[in-house]
């Protein structure tokens, strides 16, 4: 029997340092790796960062993002190990406070990320930083890319089914500045112009209550033959993002398939940001305007897995008349995911 899963609270955290797209252009052009790009690549960077990308600013956990282009693989991984647990903890502390809970109240902590690898994972670090119980269940999900938040929430539903009366913390955290990479591949350069750092934390239980939002109807579509269109690969020991120009259409087609399987007509569709072209493709395919998704892109860029939850948090601030949502995320795999929320 599948447990009912109710939202107790949701909160986000971002690094203090933020940069407009023009500031990102300024700190990029003077770096040695960018100067070594061919003229076509430099023109592409200029076009995206100084053009209409739909992004006003992005947050990076470093005060010197340009220096990340030349950082070694070891330096990037050490940076991820410092930053990812700290940003995750900041988001979770907010969520706990909003729910009137403390870290010791959690029975499980699930964290998804794709921008760094730790063993033991980020959960171990967060559990130590926040003083969680020694018997807390920890689960790290890696390798799911930008779509990871919804599958991680589905895993939380499974834990609640097996452990009635529990409270589960779920964090999606990405330190995209730990995966900054420069070469003449157009997909790499586009990624360089879109991604930022951020974390979303939410707390879930199986306890019903007046006005609480319930999450259910999880669904997934895998298209493995399109795997090479969007994924991380190893570039000189670093994470190098592959991003094909077909991704907006591919995402829209997969999301449309999930949309046709929905159980109700939602008040709002809340989607992963992707980028301007991705949002436009989704809006055209679904015949909707993704207002919250566009705001997330504008204020934070593409932060990968947390973005759909940023959109949810944004909408919940003005949810008085709402009764149902449909959420969707997508990315590496190629995979797309969806779930529904209602009250």
């Amino acid at each position: 029997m599948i447990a009912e899963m109710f939202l107790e609270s949701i909160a986000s955290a971002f690094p203090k340092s933020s940069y407009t797209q023009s500031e990102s252009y300024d700190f990029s052009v003077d770096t040695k790796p960018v100067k070594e790009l061919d003229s076509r690549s430099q023109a592409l960077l200029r076009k995206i960062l100084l053009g209409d990308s739909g992004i006003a600013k992005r947050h990076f956990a470093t005060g010197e993002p340009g220096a990340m282009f030349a950082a070694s693989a070891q330096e990037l991984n050490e940076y991820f190990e410092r930053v990812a647990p700290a940003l995750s903890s900041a988001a979770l502390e907010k969520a706990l406070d909003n729910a009137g809970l403390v870290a010791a109240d959690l029975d499980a902590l699930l964290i998804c990320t794709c921008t760094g690898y730790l063993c033991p994972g980020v959960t171990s670090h967060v559990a130590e930083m926040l003083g969680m119980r020694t018997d807390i269940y920890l689960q790290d999900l890696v390798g799911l890319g930008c779509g990871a938040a919804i599958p991680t929430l589905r895993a939380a539903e499974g834990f609640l089914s097996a452990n009635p009366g529990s409270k589960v913390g779920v964090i999606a955290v990405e330190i995209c500045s730990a995966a900054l990479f420069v070469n003449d591949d157009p997909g790499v350069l586009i990624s360089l112009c879109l991604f930022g750092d951020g974390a979303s934390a939410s707390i879930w239980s199986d306890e019903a209550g007046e006005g609480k939002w319930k999450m259910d109807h999880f669904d997934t579509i895998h298209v493995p033959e399109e795997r090479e269109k969007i994924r991380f690969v190893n570039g000189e020991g670093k994470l190098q993002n592959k991003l094909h120009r077909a991704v907006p259409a591919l995402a829209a087609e997969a999301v449309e398939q999930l949309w046709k399987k929905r159980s109700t007509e939602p008040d709002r569709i809340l989607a992963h940001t992707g980028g301007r072209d991705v949002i436009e493709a989704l809006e055209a395919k679904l015949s909707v305007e993704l207002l919250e998704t566009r705001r997330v892109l504008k204020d934070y860029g593409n932060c990968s897995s947390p973005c759909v939850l940023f959109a949810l948090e944004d909408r919940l601030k003005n949810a008085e008349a709402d009764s149902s949502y449909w959420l969707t995320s997508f990315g590496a795999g190629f995979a797309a995911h969806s779930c529904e929320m209602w009250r």
Side-chain angles (χ1 to χ4, degrees), residues 107-184:
D107 301 287
L109 177 63
L110 284 64
I111 297 182
C112 62
T113 190
C114 68
T115 46
Y117 175 74
L118 299 179
C119 182
V122 181
T123 57
S124 174
H125 297 258
V126 174
E128 180 185 22
M129 292 174 75
L130 297 190
M132 294 180 176
R133 302 196 320 259
T134 56
D135 65 345
I136 189 170
Y137 175 73
L138 304 178
Q139 182 175 4
D140 293 81
L141 285 79
V142 298
L144 295 177
C146 293
I150 291 178
T152 305
L153 290 167
R154 193 173 190 173
E157 181 190 52
F159 183 88
L160 287 170
S161 295
N163 301 273
S166 297
K167 289 183 173 59
V168 181
V170 173
I171 301 174
V173 59
E174 303 293 359
I175 310 302
C176 297
S177 55
L180 292 177
F181 191 89
V182 181
N183 66 19
D184 286 304

Side-chain angles (χ1 to χ4, degrees), residues 283-299:
E283 289 179 332
K285 187 69 76 172
L286 303 178
S287 299
V288 296
E289 190 173 5
L290 300 172
L291 297 176
E292 290 78 17
T293 299
R294 284 188 175 274
R295 276 200 293 271
V296 171
L297 182 70
K298 177 177 179 290
D299 293 338

